Amino acid sequence: MSDPVVSIRGLRKRFGDNEVLRGIDLDVAQGEVVCLIGPSGSGKSTLLRCVNLLETPTEGTIEAAGHDLTGPDADLDLARRDIGMVFQHFNLFSHMTILDNLVVPQRQVCRLPKAEAVAEARRLLAQVGIEGKERAKPAQLSGGQQQRVAIARALAVKPRLMLFDEPTSALDPELVGDVLAVMKGLAAEGMTMLVVTHEMGFAREVADRVLFLDGGVIVESGPPADVLTAPRTERAREFLHRVLHPAD
Amino acid sequence: MAPPATAVQRRPKMTPRRRRRLARALQYALIAAVLLALALAADWGRIAESFLQLDIAADMFPDVWTAFGNTIVYTLLAFAFGMVAGIPIALMRVSEFGPYRWFATAYVEVFRGLPALLVLFLVGFGVPQAFPGLQYPGGVYGQVAIGLGLTSSAYIAESVRAGIQAVPRGQVEAARSLGMSHTRTMVTVVLPQALRIVVPPLTNELVMLTKDSSLVFVLGVTTATMELSKFARNELTSTANATPLLVGGLLYLLLTVPLSALARRLEHREDRR
Ligand SMILES: Nc1ncnc2c1ncn2[C@@H]1O[C@H](COP(=O)(O)OP(=O)(O)OP(=O)(O)O)[C@@H](O)[C@H]1O
Ligand SMILES: [Mg+2]
């Protein structure tokens, strides 16, 4: 097996007195799709944000996409290019057109000539099913469309690893499917993905592995069939019951 | 629990709407009485003589346009300097690098804390005395740009900083996670959005500067470089009549009222976004 794309050892993260991550060890292999589930406040977002150093770990080491992120001479700007991130609230650049959201990063980060960047932007927008919106501003798009543009934007700088933080949680239910379809496509192409999600259907179908995070530690880890249908711990059982039967 | 119905019915109470209408009518009546008293007490002939001498007003033209133009030029020069100095100061205020932050904070505190008049004196007389060889580019225009612009830049820097901090964090996080550096993120993502947010306060700053340009007289100005206040004051002295002040005042309002209206419109547009 080739080197893992993500390799986390002994990761701890404290906000003041609040220890949010309490010793995380995690390897993600090339092409693997790992879904991260767990109750609110368990540290899922924090873990994800540590992988591209949006949060600075308090302790531990992180290697991702071939970069030693916690090493003394880590070049974060260079590393983050290889680690795409998709946010719950899309975070498209609100003052730019849809096209510029994809073109500007390519030009500034990858130093591509304009024509090339535009061509690539069009190709990516088509890939995520957004057409005829190039001149629109993000606010003119539906949430589902914005999220698909955000995925295309992240792909524009050619990452080797994609992080998703609840990409469909802010969407109206009828818009969730389109975004998940794009993510499935990405997984099928062999992208390495780390996905925080409450979409158990997606996890079951697409994930190679599901992690259950609680209280800042990985409580369960395994194939979706095991973790989602036959959790070993009481906490995971309770959580899954609540997610799958919210009306109870 | 409802009180016994009969007790309420016996006293026909005023509806809230009628009460409001009555209160409104009383206020109108009061205002009308005050205005009437003023009108009767005032010596209208005297007032007209002091402020409304049409021939004196007419005599101010066309020369007053030069002064009017200078007021605009001084205002714009100071504003331009204020922006050019203020935006970098704002960026330094939010820098990750401590010394930049300290310098910018000191700069803002100093130039916001000093009276504009004192800064103008410093630039016009203090600095040239300390550096005898120094020549301001553009003569008095350069002095005004810097002298009024320094004060303005402190206010502009604070507005822009507030604008920068009003840009949602997610915008910065998205840019950084694409591999854009702190500086690139500031220039291509944060500043354009921040400037849009601060257009209304900057328009207000322009209104303040229009009025502050009246301080320029302390630098010693000629007929060619005189601004509106100084011009009106000279006319006041030479004609021994207050009409020039009225004309000058109206010309200021000609500039500031539309600007204020614009600022309000822009503010509303921001609200609706
Ligand atoms: N920047 C921060 N400063 C202080 N505390 C923080 C910060 N970010 C997160 N936390 C705290 O860390 C804990 C875990 O937060 P995190 O966002 O990682 O949880 P999560 O599992 O993603 O939850 P959710 O499902 O609600 O998104 C929470 O208690 C939160 O209050
Ligand atoms: Mg979260």
Side-chain angles (χ1 to χ4, degrees):
Chain A
M1 207 175 82
S2 61
D3 279 349
V5 177
V6 178
S7 181
I8 300 174
R9 290 290 172 274
L11 171 62
R12 287 172 181 276
K13 174 66 184 177
R14 263 190 298 275
F15 293 108
D17 290 339
N18 182 11
E19 186 162 48
V20 175
L21 298 178
R22 305 159 178 260
I24 302 275
D25 296 290
L26 173 64
D27 281 338
V28 180
Q30 176 76 48
E32 196 179 11
V33 176
V34 174
C35 281
L36 213 52
I37 63 173
S40 178
S42 57
K44 306 180 296 293
S45 297
T46 306
L47 172 55
L48 209 63
R49 292 160 58 85
C50 278
V51 176
N52 70 353
L53 268 264
L54 279 184
E55 301 290 355
T56 312
T58 310
E59 250 179 68
T61 61
I62 302 174
E63 286 170 38
H67 302 269
D68 180 4
L69 295 176
T70 44
D73 36 41
D75 183 341
L76 291 186
D77 294 336
L78 205 61
R80 284 183 183 133
R81 228 204 262 192
D82 293 330
I83 308 170
M85 179 136 187
V86 175
F87 301 86
Q88 184 173 354
H89 296 288
F90 334 130
N91 297 353
L92 291 177
F93 302 135
S94 53
H95 62 304
M96 294 184 195
T97 62
I98 296 304
L99 193 67
D100 279 346
N101 262 277
L102 275 72
V103 169
V104 170
Q106 292 184 78
R107 302 213 57 199
Q108 297 203 343
V109 175
C110 311
R111 309 212 166 269
L112 280 190
K114 178 147 192 204
E116 244 173 85
V118 170
E120 177 64 3
R122 297 220 161 97
R123 191 188 69 73
L124 284 167
L125 286 174
Q127 181 186 329
V128 299
I130 303 287
E131 265 150 319
K133 301 280 186 195
E134 290 177 2
R135 302 258 151 261
K137 289 287 177 64
Q140 294 167 271
L141 269 57
S142 75
Q145 290 172 325
Q146 288 190 54
Q147 192 59 298
R148 285 180 281 147
V149 173
I151 295 173
R153 178 181 65 176
L155 294 173
V157 296
K158 304 275 164 290
R160 294 181 49 203
L161 161 71
M162 286 284 283
L163 310 174
F164 294 83
D165 191 358
E166 301 198 34
T168 58
S169 295
L171 300 181
D172 291 339
E174 76 269 22
L175 303 177
V176 168
D178 290 339
V179 172
L180 292 181
V182 168
M183 292 170 63
K184 274 180 212 170
L186 211 53
E189 283 174 18
M191 177 61 79
T192 310
M193 294 165 48
L194 194 50
V195 185
V196 175
T197 186
H198 293 302
E199 295 293 333
M200 295 304 156
F202 176 85
R204 190 170 289 124
E205 189 182 337
V206 183
D208 299 300
R209 190 153 45 115
V210 174
L211 306 179
F212 175 70
L213 201 68
D214 193 17
V217 293
I218 297 174
V219 177
E220 298 211 23
S221 163
D226 295 356
V227 176
L228 296 181
T229 44
R232 281 173 291 114
T233 61
E234 183 58 32
R235 284 191 287 180
R237 256 196 299 280
E238 262 175 36
F239 171 75
L240 284 169
H241 186 79
R242 259 185 292 126
V243 172
L244 297 174
H245 311 277
D248 292 7
Chain B
M1 270 241 286
T6 47
V8 181
Q9 274 168 356
R10 199 136 332 131
R11 253 190 312 138
K13 267 181 42 190
M14 235 189 283
T15 64
R17 197 217 227 151
R18 270 189 69 190
R19 202 173 330 148
R20 245 193 336 260
R21 223 185 285 161
L22 189 66
R24 182 80 39 92
L26 278 173
Q27 289 175 55
Y28 276 125
L30 187 67
I31 292 169
V34 169
L35 288 180
L36 194 66
L38 281 178
L40 291 176
D43 180 347
W44 285 107
R46 185 75 191 255
I47 291 177
E49 206 173 299
S50 306
F51 281 101
L52 295 172
Q53 302 264 2
L54 289 184
D55 49 333
I56 292 181
D59 269 353
M60 292 172 72
F61 292 87
D63 290 356
V64 71
W65 291 125
T66 311
F68 183 70
N70 279 332
T71 289
I72 296 176
V73 169
Y74 290 144
T75 304
L76 291 181
L77 280 174
F79 187 71
F81 183 92
M83 289 291 279
V84 168
I87 291 176
I89 293 291
L91 287 174
M92 288 164 90
R93 283 275 271 178
V94 298
S95 167
E96 292 170 334
F97 185 56
Y100 284 167
R101 275 201 314 274
W102 305 327
F103 171 79
T105 307
Y107 181 100
V108 166
E109 291 303 336
V110 167
F111 288 110
R112 207 172 44 169
L114 293 177
L117 188 61
L118 189 130
V119 176
L120 201 56
F121 268 124
L122 272 178
V123 169
F125 304 107
V127 174
Q129 201 165 45
F131 305 90
L134 187 96
Q135 281 288 325
Y136 287 103
V140 72
Y141 291 101
Q143 287 183 350
V144 172
I146 300 171
L148 290 179
L150 280 172
T151 306
S152 188
S153 68
Y155 285 98
I156 289 176
E158 278 305 271
S159 293
V160 173
R161 180 189 58 82
I164 288 173
Q165 286 171 341
V167 174
R169 256 207 82 64
Q171 296 283 307
V172 176
E173 290 182 349
R176 298 308 301 272
S177 70
L178 285 160
M180 288 164 73
S181 67
H182 175 82
T183 312
R184 273 199 185 289
T185 300
M186 277 294 159
V187 173
T188 52
V189 176
V190 178
L191 259 191
Q193 297 187 40
L195 289 180
R196 220 164 286 191
I197 296 171
V198 299
V199 165
L202 289 187
T203 313
N204 282 326
E205 177 59 23
L206 212 47
V207 172
M208 303 304 281
L209 267 176
T210 308
K211 296 183 293 172
D212 281 353
S213 68
S214 65
L215 300 174
V216 165
F217 78 91
V218 302
L219 297 176
V221 288
T222 65
T223 333
T225 58
M226 199 177 287
E227 45 63 55
L228 207 45
S229 282
K230 173 73 172 159
F231 182 87
R233 221 145 32 91
N234 283 0
E235 295 286 306
L236 172 78
T237 320
S238 63
T239 62
N241 185 273
T243 305
L245 293 185
L246 185 78
V247 174
L250 287 175
L251 287 177
Y252 273 108
L253 294 181
L254 196 63
L255 292 174
T256 53
V257 170
L259 274 177
S260 302
L262 180 68
R264 259 196 316 274
R265 282 256 312 263
L266 293 170
E267 239 158 77
H268 282 297
R269 206 187 57 186
E270 282 307 311
D271 289 347
R272 261 186 280 123
R273 271 201 332 152

